[in-house]
Structures are given as structure tokens and as C-alpha cells.
Amino acid sequence: MTAVRETLDVLLRFGAMMLQAGDTAFRVRDSLKTLGDRLGVDSLSVQIALDGMTATARRGDELVTITREIGPPGINAWRISALEQLAREGRAGLTVRTLSEELDAIEAAAPLRSIATVAIAIGLASGAFSFLNGGDSLGTAMAVVAGGSGQALRALLFRRRRNQYAVTALSAVVTAGLYCAGIASLGATGFGPGHAAGFIFSVLFLVPGFPLVAALLDIVQHQPVAAVSRLFYATMILLAAAIGLSAVAAVAGLAATTAPLAPSSVDPATLALRALASLLAGFGFAALYNSSTRTVLAVGILSLFGNDLRLLLHDLGMPLPPATFFGALAVGLLASLAETRLQEPRITLTVPSIIIMTPGLYAFQTIVMLNQGDVLTALQAGANFCFVVGAMAMGLAAARFMTERRWLVES
């Protein structure tokens, strides 16, 4: 039988790949214990942080503790699915060598889509965000161009392994700058509410939705070290994007104008355009996260139902935070059905589906008002932003409590 040290070493490699792909710490822990049982480990204790993990394994009288560092975090939905499937499937004869070979194959797999394909998908998603949040035709068109260009730049820089925070700030500057330049070159007079929507939603692809949601789920599942470190990482990414966006807003002299959340009319044509925009937005973020084709399709449908419910409730007079909660709850409940049929991890279905609910205009107001020195108004807009983002995450968490029995039991 393989020595415990070798067994634990390959288990930690598996866990590091899961965490680096964006999976939650509690799923990493559960998968490691499942694989540990199949490899003959009597007991396994794991402590997980965002940049490393420590595990102690025992087999008989042999006790080993190993610490492994983890590289910069990322998001790879296909890899999360492949690793979780590897942990779930009960193939007989699993050995340390075969597990290591499986990990080699997963690690060597190329992205499912080219940089150009993902850039086009994000461009269309950015235009969809702009339309859904009151952007006019010019602002929506420029959001498509700027969002796609910004994502292409970010992907190229990430391929060269540049610092994530620097890349995020630079991508925000280039995307927002390209948007403003395009608006000005096309003869627009002023920067009205319809343009404000396109400005902020052209950079929405920089929002770290996966880390934010994963951090909340880890807190609920008593993984505070991983949760806090992931939350701080996501906050720093948001801050980097905000700095870049703020710089462009200051140079362009943008005013903190407000825009309606969505077109005020709810006629059949508008409802159909809303549905199409929600579908495209879901497709775009699922493609960004390297999801499989069937997952992309599922995410688009979930985004359509969840976001249309949110907008309908808001049209009927419900405040935005509770409307967002119910929209995210609907996505979580529908994802529980899709998860069983598709055999895909729930996080790869739910997170891309709710990114469209991000209240970007509140973030825009916060940034611009801080630039103008109006701290009180900026804090009010920032609080609104936090309430809506919190409602997004809590809706998904509530769905898990309603559909997963083990979430109601302390382990």
C-alpha cells in the first residue's frame, strides 16, 4: 500500500486545484475526505485558506501532516465540475497513481473557448446589462464594444501571468476610457442617465462574483479562514476596478446622474427584449467562467427566469433588495433541479446566473460622489449596493437550506 505521505500529497494537490479553480472550501474538504476514504486513509483533518492548506492524515499508527501552498485564485467552472465528478464517482481500484494521472489530464486541459469568443460573449453581455438598466441605444452599443475589448485585454494579460489587481485596474481604465471616447466621437452631447448605465455595466465583467458568493457559503458552513481571506481578495479586486473606473470618471468629468433600473414600460415587446437580454448576459458570464456548452445553456435559462422575476417584482413596487433576494432564490431553487439532471456543481450554475442582478449604478454613484467630495451621498449609494449584493448571496444560501438537508445539520 502507498505510504500515507504520498497519499496525502496527491490529496492536497487535488484540493489545491479545486480551490484555485474557485470552488468553496467546504466542498474541497468534503471531496478530500471522500477521496481519502477511497484511498484507505483512516482519518483526515484539513485546514483551508485561500493561499494554502494543511492536512493531517492517519492510517493505522502512521500519522503525517503536510502543508501545501496554493497559487493565485482563478475561476474555471469546467475544472470544478471535472474535479467534483472525480471525487463523486465510485470507480473501483482507485490508487494514488491513477488519481495523479487524472489530475495531470485535468490540469493539462485547454480552455474550452478562445479569447476572441469569450470577448464577444462578454461584449454582448455588457450590452444586455446596459439595456436592462436603462441604457439608451448608443450607450448599449458602446458597452458591447468596450466590454468585449476590455475582456480581451484582461485575458491576454492573464495569459502572461500579470498581477491580478494591476490587470483589473488597467482593464477598468481601458474599458471605461474606450466607452467614453466612443460616446464622444459619435457626437453625443453630455453624459445622461442612459449613458451612465452603459458606462458602469461595460466593466461589470470585472466584478468577482464567484469569490463573493463562495465566501458567504463558506461562512455558513463554518470555514471562516477561507471565507474571510476570499472575501478580502474579492474586495481588493473590486477596489482595483473602482480605482480604474474612478480615474476615468474624474478625467471625463462625469456627473452622478441616476438611471432607471430598467425600461419603465412592461409591454410584450419590452418583456421579450428583457428576456433576450437576460439570456445573453447569462450566456456571457458562463462562457467567461469556462463552463461547458450545456452549462452555458442552463445558466442562460436560469438568468432569464431569475432576473425577469426580479424586474417584475420591482415593477410592481417591491424595493430592489427583496426583489433581488427572490430572484436569486428562484435561481437557486431551479439550479437544484438542473444540478441533478446535468450533474454539474451548483455554484457553476448559480453564480453566473445572478451576476446580472449586480446593482452597478449604485456603484457608479458611489465612485463619482466620492470623487466630488459628497461623502454622505456616496455612503448612501454604497449602502444600497451592499444591501442588493447581500440579497443576491442570501437568496442562493436560502435555496441551499431549502433543498439540501445536510445544510440544516451541523457536522
Side-chain angles (χ1 to χ4, degrees), residues 39-373:
L39 292 174
V41 174
D42 294 334
S43 67
L44 180 66
S45 177
V46 186
Q47 294 294 324
I48 301 173
L50 190 62
D51 61 344
M53 60 179 63
T54 301
T56 299
R58 180 180 62 81
R59 180 190 292 145
D61 295 331
E62 191 176 2
L63 188 69
V64 175
T65 298
I66 296 179
T67 298
R68 184 183 182 98
E69 291 185 356
I70 301 174
I75 303 170
N76 190 328
W78 178 87
R79 181 173 290 185
I80 292 174
S81 178
L83 290 170
E84 290 203 9
Q85 183 178 357
L86 179 60
R88 285 195 310 264
E89 61 185 14
R91 291 183 304 171
L94 180 69
T95 65
V96 169
R97 180 177 178 180
T98 57
L99 178 57
S100 182
E101 290 173 350
E102 293 275 8
L103 296 181
D104 289 339
I106 293 173
E107 198 167 37
L112 298 178
R113 296 169 189 86
S114 66
I115 290 177
T117 300
V118 175
I120 292 172
I122 287 299
L124 293 174
S126 298
F129 290 137
S130 176
F131 168 77
L132 287 168
N133 288 271
D136 59 16
S137 56
L138 177 58
T140 297
M142 281 310 305
V144 173
V145 176
S149 300
Q151 168 54 29
L153 173 65
R154 183 174 72 153
L156 289 171
L157 293 175
F158 279 166
R159 178 173 288 184
R160 290 166 174 75
R161 304 184 66 82
R162 303 307 185 201
N163 181 274
Q164 292 189 20
Y165 305 110
V167 169
T168 299
L170 178 61
S171 298
V173 169
V174 171
T175 303
L178 181 60
Y179 179 86
C180 291
I183 292 293
S185 65
L186 292 175
T189 57
F191 200 88
H195 296 161
F199 177 80
I200 188 64
F201 284 99
S202 65
V203 299
L204 194 65
F205 65 92
L206 297 173
V207 172
F210 241 88
L212 287 171
V213 175
L216 175 71
L217 296 177
D218 277 335
I219 288 174
V220 176
Q221 285 293 307
H222 304 294
Q223 298 291 314
V225 176
V228 171
S229 56
R230 199 191 300 264
L231 187 61
F232 189 75
Y233 160 76
T235 302
M236 288 298 295
I237 292 291
L238 278 173
L239 181 61
I243 290 173
L245 202 64
S246 178
V248 176
V251 171
L254 305 184
T257 53
T258 60
L261 175 67
S264 57
S265 172
V266 289
D267 57 89
T270 298
L271 292 176
L273 288 174
R274 276 184 179 180
L276 177 60
S278 299
L279 193 71
L280 289 176
F283 285 165
F285 270 88
L288 175 65
Y289 296 152
N290 197 43
S291 301
S292 64
T293 301
R294 64 178 184 175
T295 301
V296 170
L297 295 174
V299 166
I301 295 172
L302 290 174
S303 183
L304 188 159
F305 282 105
N307 193 55
D308 277 13
L309 174 62
R310 176 185 73 117
L311 294 176
L312 178 61
L313 292 174
H314 191 63
D315 288 337
L316 295 175
M318 181 178 288
L320 191 56
T324 303
F325 171 84
F326 285 114
L329 177 64
V331 167
L333 294 176
L334 291 172
S336 67
L337 301 177
E339 177 189 23
T340 303
R341 183 175 297 273
L342 298 177
Q343 293 298 304
E344 295 284 346
R346 181 182 291 203
I347 193 171
T348 66
L349 297 170
T350 55
V351 175
S353 303
I354 67 167
I355 294 296
I356 194 174
M357 302 180 189
T358 303
L361 290 176
Y362 288 140
F364 171 75
Q365 291 174 344
T366 303
I367 293 167
V368 174
M369 296 314 296
L370 283 175
N371 280 337
Q372 297 177 357

Side-chain angles (χ1 to χ4, degrees), residues 11 14 30-39 86-87 94 99:
L11 286 174
F14 174 92
D30 291 348
S31 297
L32 286 176
K33 290 185 176 181
T34 299
L35 285 175
D37 291 340
R38 292 170 59 191
L39 292 174
L86 179 60
L94 180 69
L99 178 57

